[in-house]
C-alpha cells in the first residue's frame, strides 16, 4: 500500500511537470512568470544585505544604480554562485506559482465555478505565505546577512549574528519545500484544466 501511495505521489509530480510545460504555451502564463521572476529576483537581491542597500537610495540616480545592480544579479552577474543559486531558484519557483495561479484564475473565471474560485483563493493565500517566508529568509549565504539580522541583533545582544545564518537557511529551505509542494498541486490542476479544455474543444468541433 505504501509503495502504491509513493508511486501515486511521484506520478503527481510527473503530471505537475506536464502541466507546467503546457502552461508555457500560454502567453498569459509566460508574461506573468517573467514579470514575477524578475520582480522577486530583483527584490531579494536588493534585500540580500539587509537594509543596507535601501539606505544608499538617497537620490534618483543612486536608486537607479542600486536597482540596476540588483537586477543584473538575478542572472548571477557580480556575485558568488552560492549567493546566486538560492535566490535564482526561489525566484523561478515563485514565478511558476504566480503564473499558474493567474492562468488557473483566468480559466476558472471563464468556467464560473464557485468551488474552483474558492480553491484559487486558497492558492493565492499559500503564495502569500511563501512570499513572507522568502522575504524573511532572503539573504547572502556567504556574508551571513538577512532581513532577520537587525531583529535577532535586537533580541540577542551577543550571538544574534551567529544564529542568523542558520535560521535564514532553515526558513529558505522551508519556503522552497512549501513552494515545490504548492507547485505540484497547481501543476496537476493546470494539467487537468488544459486537458479538459482540449477535450471540450474537440467535442464541440465534432458536433
Amino acid at each position: 500500500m505504501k509503495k502504491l501511495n509513493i508511486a501515486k505521489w511521484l506520478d503527481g509530480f510527473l503530471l505537475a511537470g506536464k502541466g507546467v510545460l503546457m502552461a508555457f504555451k500560454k502567453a498569459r502564463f509566460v508574461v506573468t512568470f517573467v514579470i514575477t521572476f524578475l520582480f522577486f529576483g530583483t527584490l531579494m537581491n536588493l534585500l540580500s544585505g539587509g537594509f543596507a542597500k535601501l539606505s544608499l537610495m538617497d537620490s534618483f540616480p543612486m536608486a537607479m544604480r542600486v536597482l540596476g545592480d540588483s537586477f543584473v544579479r538575478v542572472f548571477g552577474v557580480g556575485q558568488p554562485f552560492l549567493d546566486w543559486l538560492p535566490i535564482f531558484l526561489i525566484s523561478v519557483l515563485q514565478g511558476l506559482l504566480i503564473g499558474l495561479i493567474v492562468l488557473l484564475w483566468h480559466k476558472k473565471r471563464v468556467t464560473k465555478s464557485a468551488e474552483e474560485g474558492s480553491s484559487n483563493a486558497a492558492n493565492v493565500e499559500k503564495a502569500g505565505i511563501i512570499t513572507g517566508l522568502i522575504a524573511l529568509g532572503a539573504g547572502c549565504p556567504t556574508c551571513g546577512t538577512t532581513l532577520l539580522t537587525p531583529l535577532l541583533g535586537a533580541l540577542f545582544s551577543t550571538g544574534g549574528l551567529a544564529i542568523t545564518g542558520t535560521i535564514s537557511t532553515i526558513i529558505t529551505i522551508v519556503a522552497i519545500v512549501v513552494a515545490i509542494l504548492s507547485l505540484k498541486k497547481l501543476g496537476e490542476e493546470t494539467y487537468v484544466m488544459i486537458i479538459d479544455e482540449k477535450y471540450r474543444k474537440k467535442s464541440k468541433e465534432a458536433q
Side-chain angles (χ1 to χ4, degrees):
M1 182 64 70
K2 290 184 178 180
K3 289 184 178 180
L4 290 176
N5 290 335
I6 293 175
K8 183 178 180 181
W9 191 69
L10 293 176
D11 284 341
F13 276 105
L14 181 60
L15 290 180
K18 290 181 179 180
V20 172
L21 291 177
M22 289 178 174
F24 269 105
K25 297 179 181 180
K26 308 293 182 180
R28 186 182 303 273
F29 169 81
V30 173
V31 171
T32 305
F33 167 75
V34 171
I35 292 175
T36 305
F37 165 72
L38 293 177
F39 173 77
F40 274 95
T42 301
L43 180 63
M44 284 190 289
N45 278 299
L46 180 64
L47 300 176
S48 63
F51 296 101
K53 290 183 181 179
L54 295 179
S55 64
L56 297 175
M57 300 171 67
D58 54 355
S59 65
F60 182 76
M62 194 61 187
M64 291 298 98
R65 182 177 177 179
V66 172
L67 288 174
D69 178 68
S70 298
F71 177 81
V72 297
R73 282 174 175 266
V74 176
F75 305 98
V77 178
Q79 63 176 333
F81 179 76
L82 290 179
D83 291 345
W84 168 78
L85 183 60
I87 290 178
F88 179 80
L89 178 60
I90 289 174
S91 298
V92 169
L93 289 172
Q94 192 71 2
L96 292 174
L97 286 173
I98 300 299
L100 291 178
I101 288 173
V102 170
L103 180 62
L104 287 170
W105 174 79
H106 172 70
K107 291 187 176 299
K108 290 175 181 179
R109 187 184 63 171
V110 172
T111 59
K112 298 180 180 180
S113 170
E115 182 179 349
E116 290 178 340
S118 176
S119 174
N120 204 56
N123 290 330
V124 173
E125 184 179 348
K126 288 181 181 178
I129 294 174
I130 294 169
T131 301
L133 290 172
I134 288 171
L136 285 175
C140 169
T142 56
C143 61
T145 56
T146 72
L147 292 180
L148 292 172
T149 302
L151 175 61
L152 294 178
L155 294 176
F156 308 97
S157 57
T158 59
L161 294 179
I163 64 174
T164 297
T166 301
I167 295 178
S168 172
T169 300
I170 293 173
I171 291 177
T172 300
I173 291 174
V174 170
I176 291 176
V177 171
V178 173
I180 290 175
L181 293 177
S182 298
L183 185 61
K184 173 181 177 292
K185 181 177 182 296
L186 288 171
E188 288 177 313
E189 288 185 28
T190 301
Y191 176 81
V192 172
M193 183 73 70
I194 293 177
I195 292 297
D196 180 66
E197 186 180 64
K198 289 181 178 180
Y199 175 77
R200 291 186 181 184
K201 185 177 180 180
K202 288 183 178 180
S203 297
K204 288 183 179 180
E205 293 176 350
Q207 291 178 355

